[in-house]
Amino acid sequence: MKSTMDLSEKGLETLIVNHLRNVNDFEEASNFDYDRKYALDLTRLFRFLKETQNEKLEALAIKDGSIEKENFLARLSNQILDKGTALLLRKGMKYKHLHFDLYMPLPSVYNERSKQMYSKNIFSVSRQLAYTEEVSKKALDMAVFINGLPIMTFELKNSYTHQNYRNAIEQYKNYRSSKEILFRFKKCFAHFAVCDSEVWMCSKLDDKKSIFLPFNKGNDGGAGNPVNPNGLKTDYLWKEILTKNILSIITERFVQIVDEVNSKTKNKKQKQIFPRYHQLYLVMNLLEDSKKDGVGKRYLIQHSAGSGKSNSIAWLAHQLTELRNDEDKKVFDSIIVVTDRVNLDKQIRNTIKQFMEVSSTVGWAKDSKTLRNLLEKGTAVIITIVHKFQFLLDTISSDLKTKKFAIIIDEAHSSQNGSLASKMNIVLSGTEEESEDIEDKIIALIAGKKMASNASYYAFTATPKNKTLELFGKPMTDYLGNPILNEDGTRSFTAHYTYTMKQAIEEGYILDVLKNYTTYSSYYKIIKTSEDDPEFDKKKSQKLLRTFVESNEYAISKKATVIVDHFHNVVCKKMGGLARAMVVAKDIKRAIEYYYAIDSEMKKRKSPYKAVIAFSGEKEYGGKILTESVINGFASNEIESKFKLDPYRILVVANKFQTGYDEPLLQTMYVDKILTDVKAVQTLSRLNRFYPGKSEVFVLDFANKSEDIAKAFDTYYKGTILSGETDINKLNDLTDRLDEFEIYNEESVNEFIEIFLKEDYRSKIDKIIDTCVEKFKELDLDDRIEFKSSAKSFVRTYNFLSVLMEDSKTYWEKLGIFLTNLLAKLPKVKTEDFSYELYSNIDLDSYRLQVKENKSIYLTNADSELKPLPVQTAVGIPVPDLDKLSNILDEFHKVWGSVEFTNTDRVIDDIKEIQEEVKEYEKYRNAIRGSDEQNAKDELSKIINEIISGRVTSNVEIYKAFHEEKKNYLNQSFNTWLIDLVFNATYDAIKKEVARQ
């Protein structure tokens, strides 16, 4: 049976055009309407102008066949190529002494005149468009126009004819010349490669160098599109995007031309930005949510690095300024953007400049006076840096409760805490009013900590913490909208909108930083230098021993050699010779050591490159006070710009630049610092930024296990869910326990608060606090530690929960203020350090660095769960586990390495023979007879070494295992293991034997 269904490419084209014409109310144009010289639909261009501005056409005698018409079209064409179609549609064109509108904007709710004018716009589609002036029969599958100006082109492919979007991309690159006027830069918003499964786009055709990016919805947190139960996977393109309303929104509010400045040459290069699907979806839905929900709501946006978050924030900030409700009233008076990135100010300014006058729209609040002025005069968008925000709010006027605000928080996990939220909310809600009544002031503080009813919050983050999810996230619901409750009755929370790390990687917007992950193992031997065998805290000593080894000058130099060799042999050639690297050090001291070690290695190689160091503050080193500027030889604020330029290629950091640093030239990271959870993700993600020619990145890790890094990234690879809510009753448990210490009572707390809030004499406060401090000193060590930890836990937990609680005890607020001030004066609790003598009793005998594994780390394809904010209620001093130094060293040596033998039976036989052979050595027997165990063991070590060296010709494998410090599956040194094995098997037996003699 033969089907009449058209499954060809032409059939897909017909399907789309029919929908645009019959459902979306587009006109279908023909090739007769299209002027190839100007790449314009002249029929619809002049019909629009006649229907909207005919008097201007007549005044200038612009009519068919006239020279004036030709001049008009020539200027229009030149203006489009100069300024771009988007800007011409938004702002029109000046021709001679008159201004021509080329598009009528979306109407406001009650403006009938604007509705009538908007209806004059002509949206049209052309199929099989003969676009070229050449004799050839080249035709474009489809193009969309507004008022005769082309805004989008389309090449369509169909999987039923064994082609897909990749073939469409190749067609654009190879057969759609960027010299053709239709395909010239800025002529169209974007060019789409479409098939029945995916949509890709390009905002600037550049022949074979054209870069196409996905315009897909995403599928199960990854790339692509989900199965569509109602049609083709890609029908959202013509059903959702290619509608009059959405195309108007894209034209008016999204498409923009930006200038990018080359930091080296200072040359400007223009770039056209077209929104990706998830950006368009996010901004439009947040606007709809804000319009529907009104002021006073919270929204959490979990958008991965590479999501284009800066553009999303800029678009959202601009469009929130113009948002109106159904009564045609502005929803917000001002938009406040809280960020830790200074360059976001410039980006928002540049974005808004495309759409409206910037000088009266965007303000930068560098101090409290400026912020107050900007708010009072109703500046539309106010930008401030997060670490200055609390200071700014301390001095600002509280006369703002009649105004409405939208607060966009960039990287919410780092900018929101109870104290900051309290200050922000008090100021914006105007709740901090003058009152003589102490209770009124307390209630105002509590009210201020809650989310201000006259402000909505939009929190952006790639890595939401549990506090962020509970504060800004939405409760999870079933398909009917009912909350899903856990067994204990608590709710789970998730982000309102998510663009996952998985999707960003699969779509190629960021690079997979775990794809080339190399871990290193350090093999070393630490010897005991003291004659006696002192005891130390076993657990603390293990950490100190690792620090002792890894910070040893020899170990640093070895790792610096690996870094410099790898950089010169592999990295510096990448990205067309532009690649940079970062060294992440444990602390400032080690960063300085790395800098000088790398600098020394560079000089040995006569390298053309140099290192740069970055850290905050000062550090005493080598008898000198050092800063980053002293070491580098240039100012701190020049580090970022200098690092982009030769000869600077390796950036050594200690905390600074581990987060928020966006440098696409970073291609490799050398890690010598334990990284966990969010810090691991944020630090390694410095590498993931895309750059032309950057197809892969490398990580060389001296400090972490690959499985620990995988665990950290799994949390944020897809969606992140908070599994429950913080238990408020923990505050009752904490206050009950704190009361038992009798450091203070409710009366002393109330007395303190009354003086504190009335800003009375300081001496009255000190009397109360100092009395409590003396009582604290009388506690025993365990109780001092527990009281201080419980007080800190209460302050931290209450500051967070007070933002969420509908009702709060005034006493909790008072106690929080009281404990905050008491903690500031409590003396530091000193605990005995059982390991303080450790370093004076040991020395590094040998050190070797070896690649442990080179692998791609694969992540779990599932949403992850975070537990609610922990509230610590049980604290105390851990009882030290004392052990002899020799045993601590043995235990330590067992931790590192692994070994595999090709002839295990032969090795076992040799070990048995060694065990019997040592018994005959008189030196060993004498050591057991006249010395302690350790000396006997030391003698045994020499003997075993002698025996194995004599077997080098008969069993090379055991010789190498012993001398090259190979390891077993427990990471135990074969050398140590063998000596321990033989010693334990022979010592007691020989000791008994010699005692009988």
Side-chain angles (χ1 to χ4, degrees):
M1 182 181 292
K2 186 175 181 180
S3 172
T4 58
M5 184 180 292
D6 189 349
L7 296 176
S8 67
E9 181 183 309
K10 183 180 178 182
L12 177 61
E13 182 183 304
T14 301
L15 175 71
I16 297 172
V17 171
N18 285 346
H19 186 91
L20 295 181
R21 187 183 62 240
N22 300 330
V23 179
N24 296 0
D25 197 25
F26 278 47
E27 293 184 7
E28 184 176 355
S30 72
N31 279 313
F32 295 106
D33 302 313
Y34 183 76
D35 185 284
R36 300 178 191 181
K37 178 181 177 182
Y38 296 114
L40 297 169
D41 179 339
L42 298 187
T43 301
R44 286 163 182 80
L45 169 62
F46 283 103
R47 193 206 314 161
F48 168 78
L49 291 174
K50 286 177 182 177
E51 290 183 2
T52 59
Q53 300 149 88
N54 190 49
E55 70 285 356
K56 295 178 183 178
L57 294 177
E58 290 180 349
L60 295 173
I62 299 173
K63 55 187 177 180
D64 290 345
S66 68
I67 296 176
E68 201 63 53
K69 180 178 180 181
E70 198 67 21
N71 292 339
F72 177 86
L73 289 172
R75 176 167 173 77
L76 175 58
S77 183
N78 289 332
Q79 286 283 288
I80 289 174
L81 295 178
D82 179 37
K83 298 179 179 180
T85 295
L87 195 64
L88 266 289
L89 287 172
R90 283 196 292 267
K91 296 190 175 183
M93 179 189 75
K94 292 178 181 178
Y95 182 71
K96 294 192 173 180
H97 63 286
L98 296 177
H99 179 275
F100 284 85
D101 291 316
L102 300 172
Y103 164 84
M104 296 299 165
L106 284 162
S108 55
V109 178
Y110 296 112
N111 191 326
E112 292 301 323
R113 170 66 178 162
S114 65
K115 289 180 182 179
Q116 290 176 8
M117 294 307 295
Y118 177 76
S119 68
K120 303 290 186 182
N121 291 318
I122 306 168
F123 294 80
S124 62
V125 57
S126 292
R127 60 188 299 185
Q128 293 303 307
L129 182 65
Y131 60 86
T132 181
E133 290 189 277
E134 297 176 359
V135 180
S136 66
K137 296 181 180 180
K138 290 180 181 178
L140 179 74
D141 285 343
M142 200 172 81
V144 167
F145 298 75
I146 295 180
N147 300 329
L149 277 64
I151 61 169
M152 296 173 180
T153 71
F154 303 82
E155 289 292 355
L156 310 177
K157 300 299 171 187
N158 182 23
S159 61
Y160 290 110
T161 53
H162 308 292
Q163 289 191 311
N164 59 30
Y165 71 91
R166 292 187 183 90
N167 302 102
I169 290 174
E170 288 306 307
Q171 191 170 7
Y172 269 118
K173 288 184 174 183
N174 296 307
Y175 303 104
R176 301 293 179 251
S177 172
S178 60
K179 294 178 181 178
E180 289 284 351
I181 190 166
L182 179 62
F183 302 125
R184 295 272 290 275
F185 179 49
K186 296 186 282 189
K187 184 71 174 182
C188 293
F189 300 170
H191 307 275
F192 289 86
V194 184
C195 69
D196 44 15
S197 60
E198 295 197 39
V199 179
W200 287 60
M201 67 170 184
C202 174
S203 60
K204 180 183 180 180
L205 287 180
D206 194 13
D207 302 318
K208 291 185 182 295
K209 293 186 289 184
S210 301
I211 297 173
F212 278 79
L213 299 170
F215 189 78
N216 294 317
K217 285 185 167 185
N219 184 20
D220 188 29
N225 290 302
V227 172
N228 181 0
N230 300 312
L232 279 71
K233 287 183 178 181
T234 54
D235 69 9
Y236 63 89
L237 179 64
W238 53 92
K239 290 182 178 179
E240 298 176 20
I241 305 301
L242 300 181
T243 64
K244 289 184 176 182
N245 183 59
I246 299 302
L247 288 180
S248 295
I249 289 172
I250 290 172
T251 301
E252 294 180 30
R253 305 172 188 171
F254 283 95
V255 181
Q256 56 183 310
I257 308 292
V258 297
D259 291 328
E260 293 185 335
V261 181
N262 185 300
S263 60
K264 188 173 183 178
T265 64
K266 304 302 180 184
N267 292 333
K268 285 185 178 181
K269 183 180 178 182
Q270 287 194 320
K271 178 181 179 181
Q272 183 166 241
I273 298 177
F274 188 90
R276 289 144 63 179
Y277 181 85
H278 73 271
Q279 292 175 313
L280 192 63
Y281 180 85
L282 170 72
V283 174
M284 291 182 61
N285 276 277
L286 282 174
L287 293 171
E288 188 61 33
D289 292 341
S290 304
K291 183 178 178 180
K292 173 173 58 71
D293 298 339
V295 182
K297 298 296 180 178
R298 289 166 272 167
Y299 308 97
L300 177 62
I301 301 95
Q302 184 181 356
H303 271 204
S304 164
S307 67
K309 182 157 59 78
S310 297
N311 280 328
S312 297
I313 289 174
W315 281 321
L316 178 63
H318 162 241
Q319 294 181 47
L320 284 172
T321 65
E322 300 180 334
L323 185 65
R324 293 181 175 273
N325 58 23
D326 290 338
E327 285 75 44
D328 201 28
K329 294 180 180 178
K330 287 188 70 172
V331 177
F332 300 109
D333 295 297
S334 291
I335 317 301
I336 302 174
V337 181
V338 184
T339 181
D340 57 1
R341 296 181 290 159
V342 179
N343 62 343
L344 191 61
D345 167 48
K346 184 178 180 182
Q347 188 156 357
I348 291 176
R349 283 178 176 274
N350 289 340
T351 296
I352 292 178
K353 186 166 67 173
Q354 300 275 323
F355 308 103
M356 57 202 304
E357 182 61 41
V358 167
S359 58
S360 60
T361 307
V362 184
W364 171 251
K366 60 181 181 293
D367 53 47
S368 55
K369 182 180 179 181
T370 305
L371 179 57
R372 182 187 295 110
N373 290 337
L374 293 174
L375 287 167
E376 287 177 351
K377 69 181 183 181
T379 302
V381 180
I382 302 166
I383 307 166
T384 188
I385 300 177
V386 62
H387 65 261
K388 289 185 179 179
F389 198 67
Q390 188 165 353
F391 164 75
L392 299 176
L393 295 177
D394 281 339
T395 53
I396 194 174
S397 167
S398 61
D399 188 23
L400 301 169
K401 54 190 173 185
T402 60
K403 292 181 176 289
K404 295 168 291 185
F405 301 93
I407 303 172
I408 302 174
I409 304 170
D410 180 24
E411 289 304 333
H413 65 266
S414 63
S415 60
Q416 274 296 298
N417 57 61
S419 177
L420 177 56
S422 171
K423 298 274 186 181
M424 185 187 298
N425 293 325
I426 286 172
V427 170
L428 298 177
S429 63
T431 54
E432 192 174 35
E433 298 178 355
E434 288 299 318
S435 172
E436 290 300 316
D437 189 280
I438 298 300
E439 204 70 14
D440 287 345
K441 288 190 174 184
I442 289 294
I443 291 170
L445 285 170
I446 294 171
K449 286 188 173 182
K450 301 184 189 312
M451 286 294 172
S453 60
N454 63 330
S456 291
Y457 297 78
Y458 306 81
F460 285 77
T461 180
T463 50
K465 295 181 179 179
N466 46 17
K467 289 197 299 183
T468 312
L469 281 160
E470 193 166 356
L471 188 59
F472 295 109
K474 65 176 180 179
M476 297 186 70
T477 58
D478 59 22
Y479 70 98
L480 294 175
N482 300 315
I484 300 173
L485 300 179
N486 300 315
E487 290 183 1
D488 60 358
T490 61
R491 300 170 297 172
S492 295
F493 294 84
T494 188
H496 293 75
Y497 300 99
T498 301
Y499 178 78
T500 68
M501 182 193 301
K502 178 187 177 187
Q503 186 172 349
I505 291 171
E506 290 182 358
E507 291 189 339
Y509 287 111
I510 60 172
L511 296 166
D512 184 356
V513 300
L514 305 183
K515 195 171 184 179
N516 298 293
Y517 207 97
T518 302
T519 54
Y520 278 76
S521 290
S522 301
Y523 300 105
Y524 33 77
K525 184 178 181 182
I526 303 171
I527 59 173
K528 182 170 67 70
T529 58
S530 59
E531 292 185 4
D532 56 353
D533 202 1
E535 291 186 336
F536 296 102
D537 182 345
K538 188 175 179 181
K539 185 176 181 180
K540 288 183 179 179
S541 295
Q542 295 298 318
K543 293 181 180 178
L544 287 171
L545 288 171
R546 179 79 190 273
T547 301
F548 170 78
V549 171
E550 298 300 345
S551 60
N552 182 274
E553 184 179 351
Y554 181 74
I556 294 289
S557 69
K558 280 289 187 184
K559 286 180 277 192
T561 301
V562 170
I563 290 169
V564 173
D565 285 349
H566 182 266
F567 180 81
H568 283 83
N569 296 334
V570 179
V571 180
C572 68
K573 304 169 187 175
K574 299 290 182 180
M575 299 169 59
L578 296 175
R580 265 69 178 163
M582 176 183 281
V583 178
V584 179
K586 176 185 176 184
D587 51 36
I588 295 175
K589 179 176 180 292
R590 193 174 293 184
I592 295 172
E593 291 168 341
Y594 261 118
Y595 172 84
Y596 285 121
I598 290 169
D599 184 61
S600 175
E601 286 295 318
M602 293 274 207
K603 288 175 180 175
K604 285 179 187 177
R605 295 180 65 109
K606 296 183 178 178
S607 171
Y609 307 125
K610 289 184 178 181
V612 182
I613 191 168
F615 61 88
S616 300
E618 300 176 340
K619 183 67 178 179
E620 184 176 350
Y621 182 82
K624 298 179 181 178
I625 300 298
L626 297 179
T627 64
E628 57 187 8
S629 58
V630 169
I631 298 174
N632 292 326
F634 50 79
S636 297
N637 60 8
E638 293 184 77
I639 290 177
E640 290 184 58
S641 59
K642 290 278 190 183
F643 188 53
K644 294 175 183 287
L645 308 175
D646 283 339
Y648 303 106
R649 289 297 189 95
I650 298 178
L651 178 62
V652 184
V653 304
N655 290 326
K656 193 171 183 179
F657 292 136
Q658 275 185 237
T659 60
Y661 178 52
D662 189 359
E663 177 47 72
L665 293 177
L666 270 181
Q667 199 271 345
T668 294
M669 186 174 287
Y670 305 101
V671 181
D672 194 18
K673 177 180 183 176
I674 298 296
L675 299 174
T676 57
D677 303 326
V678 173
K679 280 292 184 187
V681 178
Q682 291 177 334
T683 300
L684 295 173
S685 293
R686 296 310 98 212
L687 292 175
N688 66 18
R689 299 307 193 266
F690 176 79
Y691 191 87
K694 184 179 177 182
S695 59
E696 60 181 351
V697 297
F698 301 110
V699 178
L700 274 65
D701 196 329
F702 302 111
N704 300 280
K705 297 177 182 177
S706 59
E707 53 267 32
D708 293 336
I709 296 298
K711 182 179 178 182
F713 271 77
D714 268 335
T715 305
Y716 305 106
Y717 185 54
K718 290 188 70 179
T720 309
I721 298 168
L722 181 67
S723 62
E725 299 175 75
T726 306
D727 186 358
I728 294 175
N729 278 317
K730 293 292 185 183
L731 289 175
N732 289 319
D733 296 338
L734 285 169
T735 54
D736 289 345
R737 182 61 184 133
L738 287 166
D739 290 345
E740 292 175 11
F741 293 103
E742 298 183 350
I743 300 293
Y744 61 84
N745 55 35
E746 189 169 347
E747 183 180 344
S748 60
V749 172
N750 287 331
E751 183 183 358
F752 172 87
I753 292 298
E754 186 167 355
I755 298 168
F756 182 77
L757 293 183
K758 282 186 175 180
E759 299 181 2
D760 210 333
Y761 294 109
R762 172 184 164 160
S763 57
K764 294 182 180 180
I765 285 179
D766 279 272
K767 179 186 70 173
I768 299 169
I769 295 294
D770 289 345
T771 301
C772 295
V773 170
E774 292 305 313
K775 292 180 180 179
F776 172 80
K777 291 178 180 178
E778 294 172 4
L779 298 175
D780 61 35
L781 183 60
D782 273 347
D783 284 348
R784 271 181 281 154
I785 290 176
E786 184 173 355
F787 176 84
K788 200 167 185 180
S789 297
S790 296
K792 288 179 179 178
S793 184
F794 178 87
V795 171
R796 183 186 69 248
T797 307
Y798 176 69
N799 276 342
F800 170 64
L801 286 176
S802 60
V803 180
L804 300 174
M805 291 186 292
E806 293 184 7
D807 298 301
S808 180
K809 293 181 181 180
T810 56
Y811 179 67
W812 281 351
E813 181 67 32
K814 294 176 184 178
L815 184 59
I817 298 170
F818 173 79
L819 289 176
T820 298
N821 287 274
L822 175 59
L823 283 166
K825 293 200 74 173
L826 289 181
K828 186 177 180 180
V829 180
K830 295 182 179 180
T831 57
E832 186 176 357
D833 184 1
F834 292 96
S835 305
Y836 73 100
E837 293 179 348
L838 182 64
Y839 289 171
S840 61
N841 285 281
I842 59 175
D843 200 1
L844 183 63
D845 185 53
S846 62
Y847 180 91
R848 184 165 54 85
L849 199 60
Q850 183 174 309
V851 174
K852 183 179 180 182
E853 58 181 354
N854 190 337
K855 63 187 290 187
S856 291
I857 299 176
Y858 296 101
L859 302 176
T860 306
N861 185 28
D863 290 341
S864 60
E865 283 194 353
L866 291 177
K867 293 182 179 179
L869 179 70
V871 183
Q872 188 176 12
T873 55
V875 291
I877 306 173
V879 178
D881 179 11
L882 297 180
D883 200 354
K884 291 182 178 180
L885 176 58
S886 56
N887 292 337
I888 290 173
L889 292 178
D890 289 342
E891 184 76 20
F892 180 70
H893 289 140
K894 291 176 185 177
V895 175
W896 315 101
S898 69
V899 66
E900 291 181 5
F901 293 108
T902 57
N903 191 339
T904 305
D905 291 339
R906 176 66 184 278
V907 172
I908 292 173
D909 289 341
D910 273 3
I911 291 171
K912 289 177 180 178
E913 289 176 14
I914 291 169
Q915 191 170 301
E916 292 302 315
E917 195 171 341
V918 297
K919 294 177 182 179
E920 305 304 319
Y921 272 72
E922 198 60 31
K923 289 180 181 178
Y924 183 38
R925 298 175 72 85
N926 289 336
I928 293 174
R929 182 185 291 112
S931 304
D932 58 22
E933 286 188 23
Q934 187 57 46
N935 284 332
K937 196 171 188 179
D938 290 343
E939 189 61 41
L940 175 65
S941 176
K942 297 175 185 176
I943 294 167
I944 293 176
N945 185 35
E946 181 181 330
I947 294 172
I948 289 178
S949 296
R951 291 170 180 259
V952 64
T953 55
S954 60
N955 193 345
V956 176
E957 199 164 23
I958 196 170
Y959 176 88
K960 287 185 175 180
F962 188 87
H963 286 283
E964 295 181 6
E965 295 188 275
K966 286 193 175 181
K967 316 293 175 183
N968 65 12
Y969 72 98
L970 294 174
N971 275 342
Q972 184 180 34
S973 164
F974 179 79
N975 182 312
T976 304
W977 174 81
L978 180 59
I979 294 169
D980 285 346
L981 177 73
V982 176
F983 183 79
N984 293 333
T986 59
Y987 180 79
D988 287 335
I990 295 175
K991 188 173 184 179
K992 290 177 183 178
E993 185 179 328
V994 297
R996 290 194 297 267
Q997 293 175 351

